[in-house]
Amino acid sequence: SIPSTASTIPLPPGLMGEIAKFIYEASPRQVENVAIAAAISLMAAICGKAYNYSDTGLNMYVLLIADTGIGKEAMASGIDKIINEVKKQVPTISDFIGPAEISSGQALCRYLHKQPCFLSIFGEIGLRLSKMSGEKASPADNTLKRVLLDVYNKSGAHQSYKSSIYADKDKDAPEIYAPAFSLLGESTGERFYAAVDELM
């Protein structure tokens, strides 16, 4: 189990704590931050739309910044183990895990219309942020950045992300009622902080 020394992060209570404990114990390199970040993200994926606090859903954007080789991959593998086991009795649980690559804001909107509450897990998100924030960012990356910022605050029960229309009708996205998109990303400090400036 997760050691209870003064230097460790306290385990979350309840089911989230049990998930963190499982991920920690199933990890080849046991790191509290990794297990807790994964547990928070998985619970946000499942409960993000079901509960509201201060008129917003419980969706989360969680980023774990750590050195190479500490076992960050245990976040995705631990979540996979839980989802694959639960899927035996509740096949729809896999709906709460979304794509690992999102090509544009329009693609994210179309996916959210189909599945309005899910978690996407991004490996090396520092590279993705660099691509979205650079001076040479493509229109698709700029749109994705804008949608990620906008959709985060639209998860409340009485909120919606408004529809988008484009010259190319295939890119149109319908209105999404209370989308609860959660994101779990990991990166090294070097890559992450190279991509982030004061404006971001």
Side-chain angles (χ1 to χ4, degrees):
S1 69
I2 296 180
S4 56
T5 61
S7 63
T8 61
I9 299 170
L11 205 61
L15 180 58
M16 191 181 301
E18 292 299 315
I19 291 170
K21 183 178 174 185
F22 172 83
I23 293 170
Y24 180 86
E25 291 176 350
S27 302
R29 294 180 183 88
Q30 298 176 329
V31 180
E32 295 95 338
N33 304 30
V34 169
I36 292 169
I40 289 170
S41 301
L42 180 57
M43 289 298 287
I46 296 168
C47 303
K49 191 174 170 77
Y51 299 95
N52 275 218
Y53 180 78
S54 298
D55 296 323
T56 62
L58 300 181
N59 58 310
M60 301 284 292
Y61 288 4
V62 178
L63 294 138
L64 180 78
I65 311 300
D67 292 336
T68 301
I70 69 129
K72 297 186 292 287
E73 65 282 349
M75 293 189 302
S77 65
I79 289 172
D80 281 346
K81 287 175 186 172
I82 292 169
I83 293 295
N84 289 329
E85 192 59 35
V86 172
K87 191 165 36 175
K88 294 173 184 175
Q89 294 183 355
V90 186
T92 56
I93 190 73
S94 55
D95 293 345
F96 292 105
I97 304 300
E101 181 62 34
I102 300 170
S103 63
S104 67
Q106 297 95 324
L108 176 56
C109 288
R110 285 195 298 274
Y111 196 92
L112 276 166
H113 180 69
K114 179 177 72 171
Q115 176 62 29
C117 185
F118 68 92
L119 169 70
S120 280
I121 303 171
F122 294 119
E124 197 44 73
I125 198 165
L127 295 175
R128 187 57 155 143
L129 287 173
S130 181
K131 192 176 169 191
M132 286 192 301
S133 64
E135 289 181 15
K136 296 180 182 179
S138 70
D141 286 324
N142 281 325
T143 304
L144 179 58
K145 179 172 65 174
R146 193 185 77 246
V147 170
L148 285 172
L149 292 171
D150 289 349
V151 82
Y152 182 78
N153 295 311
K154 303 295 185 183
S155 61
H158 304 292
Q159 297 176 318
S160 64
Y161 186 77
K162 301 305 179 197
S163 59
S164 304
I165 58 171
Y166 297 88
D168 180 353
K169 289 193 177 294
D170 291 338
K171 294 183 179 179
D172 289 357
E175 183 175 11
I176 307 158
Y177 175 71
F181 170 67
S182 291
L183 180 151
L184 173 61
E186 55 87 1
S187 183
T188 62
E190 182 182 4
R191 283 188 176 148
F192 178 77
Y193 291 112
V196 176
D197 57 23
E198 287 185 17
L199 180 63
M200 287 188 69

